[in-house]
Amino acid sequence: MARISQEQLAPKEKIRACEWFEQSTDLGQEDGVTRVQRVKYAVQGELHDDFVLEELRVDVARTVKECLALIDELNKYGHSMERSLDIPEKTEDLEAIRALGTFDQLSELIQERHDSLLSNAADATNEYMSLDCVLYNEANEQLDRLSAHVSDGDVHLDSLSILSLDPDRIFYQGRGRVYARLRYESDLDAAMYKGDAIYDIYPFECSFQSDTGGLKEPTFVQGSMKINTDSFSDDGQD
């Protein structure tokens, strides 16, 4: 069971394609993928070791040791049950429950550390975010179709999460809110701040990307902002 799970989380062909992969001569040329490499891939994927350790400050080696200890524990249960075909049924059930519990621990540990790595990358990148002007201009372009003038709007990026990553590039999804003032007036009235206006808050999603050569301000992906303006045409009926 653990072997099948590892193969799904860390396929051999993807591990072999990693920059950090080293062929294990002990396992032969046809295979060459170790348990250590499987666990490492499940946690950090294809990311370079230096980026993970120095930029994200994630100690994958420690996680690998913890996972290998749980895998060894699982193997003990398997070998014990193979050697003890005549053990009492109650003992057999207890061993199976313990084995499943250990397997759950292993799965949860790998998922927790992988999620932590992604969270660290998103948090670290968020510190470099200063794209308010870019987001504001992008929002104004989209909201222009709702009114003659858009002004006094603030754009807040509320969250940043990782969509995908590869050895050289990280792709992010941003979510936030646009505080818009939609104005309906002539150019003259607009200059004098006269005329009708609608105030509303619209949620949006957008995409960013950055390279893994060092955490810095990501680049906004042009055309990726999607503003939900359903409330503009909402007639108040269910």
Side-chain angles (χ1 to χ4, degrees), residues 67-113:
C67 289
L68 290 182
L70 290 172
I71 292 173
D72 288 339
E73 190 70 21
L74 274 176
N75 289 337
K76 290 178 183 178
Y77 287 121
H79 296 325
S80 174
M81 295 179 71
E82 288 175 3
R83 292 193 305 267
S84 307
L85 297 178
D86 58 344
I87 60 176
E89 185 176 343
K90 288 185 178 180
T91 303
E92 186 179 88
D93 290 344
L94 182 59
E95 290 288 288
I97 291 173
R98 288 173 176 170
L100 288 172
T102 304
F103 176 76
D104 286 342
Q105 280 183 270
L106 175 62
S107 300
E108 290 171 5
L109 178 61
I110 290 175
Q111 187 64 53
E112 174 193 322
R113 297 299 165 79

Side-chain angles (χ1 to χ4, degrees), residues 108-128:
E108 290 171 5
L109 178 61
I110 290 175
Q111 187 64 53
E112 174 193 322
R113 297 299 165 79
H114 179 68
D115 290 345
S116 177
L117 182 145
L118 297 182
S119 178
N120 283 7
D123 290 345
T125 301
N126 205 24
E127 295 179 3
Y128 293 86

Side-chain angles (χ1 to χ4, degrees), residues 125-134 217-218:
T125 301
N126 205 24
E127 295 179 3
Y128 293 86
M129 294 291 286
S130 59
L131 296 170
D132 292 348
C133 183
V134 174
E217 182 176 346

Side-chain angles (χ1 to χ4, degrees), residues 30 34-35 47 57 75 82 101 105 141 155 165 198:
E30 292 301 320
T34 65
R35 292 189 305 172
L47 292 178
R57 301 187 183 280
N75 289 337
E82 288 175 3
Q105 280 183 270
E141 286 186 18
V155 180
L165 45 80
I198 295 177

